[in-house]
Amino acid sequence: MLHPIESRPTAPVASPATPPVVSPVATARVLQHRPAPQPQPQGDDDPWHTGAACRRDEVGLFFAPSKEPTAARLSREEQAKQVCARCPVLLECREHALAQPEPYGVWGGLTAAERRVVLARRRRRDTELREAARVPARRRIAG
């Protein structure tokens, strides 16, 4: 009989055909072209991702494997959002994903589809504000 520790499943090894799964924070580090920071207390000079909760959790939660069934995807995304909900840098992560824009994964508690909606709303709001600024002041005042 195996000891409980020995019977734990091991992490899957990525094959050459399978791209490695990374967390949002790991992707942010690659995009910034700097070595991975060591965990340390968050200060004013530290990048936002040093305090991210996803640094300590299962990275597979944040990105979908290929051909993932819908029920499994929804469950995985909900688990990832629970990690994000307790993250002290949730807003910084979300803004990073919206500014890039990140096309895949859960970032800042939002899926890629949810981020597309947020970006569309921001574009619409910006367009409306520009249009409102073009209307002369006297035309905006309703009689």
Side-chain angles (χ1 to χ4, degrees), residues 9-100:
T10 59
V13 177
S15 68
T18 306
V21 178
V22 294
S23 73
V25 168
T27 303
R29 286 195 302 258
V30 169
L31 292 173
Q32 290 182 359
H33 305 291
R34 62 171 78 162
Q38 296 301 315
Q40 54 187 313
Q42 182 117 2
D44 292 338
D45 295 333
D46 294 334
W48 63 267
H49 51 74
T50 59
C54 62
R55 290 175 60 93
R56 298 177 294 278
D57 285 296
E58 177 63 42
V59 295
L61 289 178
F62 298 95
F63 293 93
S66 62
K67 300 179 183 178
E68 181 180 33
T70 302
R73 177 182 54 83
L74 294 173
S75 175
R76 179 190 47 75
E77 288 174 346
E78 186 57 37
Q79 291 174 354
K81 288 179 179 186
Q82 289 174 3
V83 172
C84 292
R86 69 174 192 266
C87 185
V89 294
L90 178 128
L91 295 177
E92 292 89 341
C93 180
R94 182 176 296 171
E95 287 306 315
H96 165 82
L98 292 168
Q100 284 301 320

Side-chain angles (χ1 to χ4, degrees), residues 136-143:
R138 66 175 186 263
R139 295 180 103 192
R140 282 188 281 185
I141 301 173

